[in-house]
Amino acid sequence: MSASPDSGLSRPPQTTRRQRLAELRGPATPPRPLDARALAALAANPGCRRRALLDGAGVDKSALAAKLGSPAPFGQSQFAIVRGNSFEAKVKADGGRELLRLIGVEDPGTVSVPELSAAGPEGRVARTALALREATAAGTWTLLDHPLLALEVAGSPVYLEPDAVVVRPDGGWTVVEIKSFPMVDGAADASKVGAAARQAAVYVLALERVAAATEGARVAQSVLLVCPKDFSNLPTASVVDVRKQRSVTRRQLDRLTRIDEIAAALPEGVGFDVAERSAEELTAAVESVPHQYAPECLAACELAFHCRSRARQADAVETLGRSVRGELGGLTTVGAVLSAARGEEGDPADPAVAALRRARALREEALSGAGARACR
């Protein structure tokens, strides 16, 4: 299957891409399936080609990181999983009474809760789509508990399971994301809310695929985030706008559909077969793919410890964070930054160099003043 003549794009057939990705992963290795968390993590660092390629090929990054000698303690703790499941069960107890109250429905008896079970993921996706169409046509409140959605990523379907989707009488579809971190005085930890928003944006994109074939349906660009109130177990909710996260995720998924372009730039013979290749071969393969490390990767990517180690060895300013890296302009190493601050290197007309020298002068002035006062 190729792009239409009017599209201006020329793509290899889908089978060719799959074969190429299978070669990179290892023909005998089944692809590691993506989920909403993985897609959300892609959106958190859209400039990293390394992660885009490895996730698109279905490489097990945890096994790869271990083979490289940089295993990452990545993933949720059992305590967090149990707490999350317990809180979600409370929110959905009694026919979802607490959840419906947060939505604004006082009488749960007026809300339809369709059965979504079916054989296999394809069956569940079809059953979810049917329930969404029927609910929209009926024009009544409907609560879909753990629907299953599908999104095509790099030519293969990815199955996504949001906590819930609410269909309103006016045909609006709203994603509900239930998290166990607290919302204190009406606000939650910004980094956790951001991660939840990126994950929910993936569900919004998948819902839009179904809504496009459903008359009268429209997917809300904001989601309902449900968390414990303060330090209790009482559910509270906040509406979170995910338009920005949706746009970033959409662009990143578009890059994944063109993953063959990234693969074509690799040197001949590069592969990521963890079972068959040596640590040295895998290290060379990983280093052949451009990456974009940031400290935030430590919470979102299994290869982050390896990338951090390499960034430190290169004395790269990326280890200081994205905001610092952005302020330093053409100064790419910590050594270059220090030399510029001391006046040994750098163009004085460069705003970054001028700011560094001014900061160093202010520091020396402050230290000399403190030393003079100490001598009195």
Side-chain angles (χ1 to χ4, degrees):
M1 182 177 66
S2 61
S4 66
D6 296 334
S7 67
L9 298 175
S10 177
R11 285 192 317 201
Q14 206 64 251
T15 53
T16 301
R17 179 186 300 136
R18 290 180 181 176
Q19 290 172 356
R20 175 59 174 143
L21 295 181
E23 291 171 359
L24 290 173
R25 181 181 64 250
T29 306
R32 186 176 181 85
L34 291 170
D35 57 16
R37 286 181 180 273
L39 294 179
L42 278 171
N45 192 3
C48 186
R49 290 191 164 207
R50 181 177 294 173
R51 172 149 197 168
L53 178 65
L54 294 175
D55 279 349
V59 175
D60 185 343
K61 296 196 299 298
S62 293
L64 178 59
K67 192 73 174 279
L68 294 175
S70 302
F74 187 77
Q76 286 184 298
S77 68
Q78 282 299 118
F79 174 78
I81 293 173
V82 171
R83 174 175 167 77
N85 292 339
S86 175
F87 179 68
E88 181 178 340
K90 176 179 176 59
V91 172
K92 294 181 177 178
D94 298 327
R97 180 179 294 273
E98 285 289 341
L99 176 56
L100 295 171
R101 175 185 63 80
L102 295 171
I103 295 170
V105 181
E106 297 298 334
D107 183 9
T110 63
V111 179
S112 173
V113 184
E115 175 59 49
L116 301 178
S117 60
E122 295 88 352
R124 288 186 60 198
V125 168
R127 182 68 188 90
T128 295
L130 177 62
L132 286 166
R133 288 194 293 269
E134 291 177 342
T136 304
T140 58
W141 285 99
T142 304
L143 174 64
L144 277 66
D145 184 9
H146 280 292
L148 194 66
L149 307 169
L151 193 64
E152 186 175 297
V153 177
S156 301
V158 174
Y159 297 107
L160 309 166
E161 189 173 0
D163 294 325
V165 172
V166 174
V167 180
R168 299 177 178 273
D170 62 0
W173 299 356
T174 302
V175 172
V176 178
E177 188 70 4
I178 302 173
K179 296 296 184 182
S180 60
F181 54 80
M183 194 175 294
V184 181
D185 293 332
D189 182 274
S191 63
K192 293 181 179 180
V193 172
R198 288 190 295 271
Q199 184 176 341
V202 177
Y203 301 138
V204 169
L205 285 171
L207 266 183
E208 288 176 346
R209 180 173 175 269
V210 184
T214 305
E215 185 178 354
R218 55 182 180 81
V219 181
Q221 299 299 294
S222 57
V223 302
L224 189 71
L225 178 63
V226 181
C227 300
K229 183 178 181 180
D230 298 326
F231 300 102
S232 69
N233 208 32
L234 179 68
T236 188
S238 175
V239 176
V240 179
D241 190 329
V242 298
R243 284 176 295 181
K244 178 180 178 181
Q245 291 83 356
R246 176 200 170 281
S247 297
V248 173
T249 304
R250 177 73 273 169
R251 288 196 298 271
Q252 185 67 350
L253 294 183
D254 288 343
R255 289 183 69 232
L256 281 179
T257 62
R258 298 190 299 272
I259 204 72
D260 45 280
E261 297 175 8
I262 302 176
L266 297 177
E268 188 69 26
V270 164
F272 305 95
D273 191 338
V274 178
E276 297 296 329
R277 304 220 172 200
S278 66
E280 292 75 16
E281 290 175 314
L282 291 172
T283 298
V286 167
E287 294 305 313
S288 70
V289 188
H291 74 293
Q292 196 170 80
Y293 171 77
E296 294 86 348
C297 296
L298 295 173
C301 182
E302 296 90 331
L303 278 179
F305 283 83
H306 171 81
C307 296
R308 183 182 66 174
S309 174
R310 292 289 171 161
R312 286 177 172 175
Q313 290 176 14
D315 202 27
V317 295
E318 281 81 358
T319 58
L320 304 177
R322 286 196 184 100
S323 60
V324 176
R325 175 67 187 90
E327 294 289 340
L328 292 175
L331 302 172
T332 59
T333 67
V334 175
V337 170
L338 295 176
S339 295
R342 290 191 294 262
E344 299 169 356
E345 295 180 12
D347 182 0
D350 186 335
V353 174
L356 287 168
R357 293 179 181 177
R358 175 61 176 159
R360 183 172 185 270
L362 290 173
R363 177 180 181 274
E364 291 179 345
E365 181 181 335
L367 290 176
S368 60
R373 285 193 298 272
C375 293
R376 293 177 184 173

